[in-house]
């Protein structure tokens, strides 16, 4: 049910840390502990292509499964498709309630989508806002682009700032 691809199972044991700085090695240890999930902290993993961001996110997700922590993995485009395909208010509400209650939601490839329309931008904000309001809900974001560069995905700057405010709350404080 996690939706994590298992063709080539990603784990912390098969994640290569030889190119990491000491600070990043410490961060990997912290991520492997899953303490951030207990605290409901968000995680943003940013880096160049081929640096292991998706591997790391899937390793976290697989470890969650082993520890019986509910997790869902989506490519950003898949998540947006899931949100936008629901045309009825009841269908949208069901998807939002379901995704906002999961202890760990992993969203990969943020920033690869073309601009979202106003409705889809609003639905994405609603999801992030509900997860934020519930507390103790971790969302992991993976991107080649820094969060400050995500603005152009959304219908306007204000619509972009609202979810980014929720995503980066732990970082900003």
């Amino acid at each position: 049910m996690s939706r994590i691809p298992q063709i080539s199972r990603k784990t912390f044991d098969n994640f290569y840390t030889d190119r990491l700085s000491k600070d990043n090695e410490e961060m990997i240890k912290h991520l492997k502990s899953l303490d951030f999930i207990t605290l409901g902290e968000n995680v943003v993993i940013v880096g160049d292509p081929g640096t292991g961001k998706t591997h790391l996110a899937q390793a976290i997700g697989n470890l969650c499964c082993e520890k019986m922590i509910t997790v869902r993995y989506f490519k950003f485009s898949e998540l947006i498709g899931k949100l936008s395909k629901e045309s009825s208010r009841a269908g949208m509400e069901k998807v939002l309630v379901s995704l906002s209650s999961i202890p760990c939601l992993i969203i990969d490839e943020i920033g690869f989508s073309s601009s979202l329309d106003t409705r889809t931008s609003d639905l994405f904000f609603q999801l992030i806002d509900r997860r934020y309001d519930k507390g103790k809900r971790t969302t992991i974001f993976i991107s080649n682009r820094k969060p400050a560069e995500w603005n152009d995905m959304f219908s306007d700057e204000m619509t972009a700032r609202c979810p980014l405010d929720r995503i980066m709350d732990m970082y900003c404080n």
Side-chain angles (χ1 to χ4, degrees):
M1 290 183 60
S2 70
R3 301 188 77 256
I4 300 169
Q6 296 297 320
I7 293 170
S8 174
R9 186 169 165 79
K10 307 295 193 262
T11 67
F12 283 96
D13 290 337
N14 61 19
F15 180 74
Y16 297 107
T17 59
D18 55 338
R19 295 181 292 176
L20 298 178
S21 68
K22 290 292 180 199
D23 288 341
N24 284 337
E25 285 181 21
E26 288 302 312
M27 181 57 66
I28 300 298
K29 288 178 187 173
H30 175 67
L31 293 174
K32 189 175 180 179
S33 75
L34 301 181
D35 289 344
F36 65 98
I37 293 175
T38 305
L39 298 170
E41 295 176 344
N42 291 327
V43 174
V44 179
I45 303 171
V46 177
D48 293 331
T51 55
K53 297 176 305 296
T54 295
H55 183 127
L56 188 57
Q58 290 180 10
I60 292 167
N62 284 323
L63 187 57
C64 284
C65 291
E66 291 170 19
K67 303 284 184 181
M68 304 301 287
I69 299 169
T70 303
V71 60
R72 295 289 182 281
Y73 173 91
F74 289 94
K75 299 287 187 182
F76 183 69
S77 59
E78 295 169 339
L79 177 63
I80 293 307
K82 183 173 184 65
L83 290 171
S84 62
K85 84 173 187 175
E86 292 298 334
S87 57
S88 73
R89 183 73 187 142
M92 283 187 290
E93 187 64 24
K94 183 178 177 181
V95 169
L96 288 171
V97 166
S98 171
L99 293 176
S100 64
S101 65
I102 297 166
C104 183
L105 177 65
I106 301 171
I107 306 173
D108 197 358
E109 297 183 357
I110 293 245
F112 276 100
S113 291
S114 56
S115 273
L116 305 176
D117 61 32
T118 303
R119 178 179 174 273
T120 309
S121 291
D122 181 58
L123 289 170
F124 182 71
F125 167 70
Q126 285 184 50
L127 172 63
I128 299 305
D129 187 55
R130 287 178 188 210
R131 292 184 62 73
Y132 178 83
D133 284 345
K134 282 191 179 249
K136 303 289 186 184
R137 300 288 183 257
T138 294
T139 307
I140 300 172
F141 302 88
I142 301 93
S143 182
N144 292 337
R145 300 168 62 195
K146 295 175 184 167
E149 299 170 5
W150 297 353
N151 286 348
D152 59 351
M153 288 188 318
F154 297 94
S155 57
D156 60 64
E157 186 178 337
M158 184 57 71
T159 307
R161 285 186 8 212
C162 291
L164 287 172
D165 176 61
R166 303 307 190 275
I167 292 167
M168 302 303 287
D169 181 59
M170 296 302 291
Y171 174 78
C172 295
N173 292 321

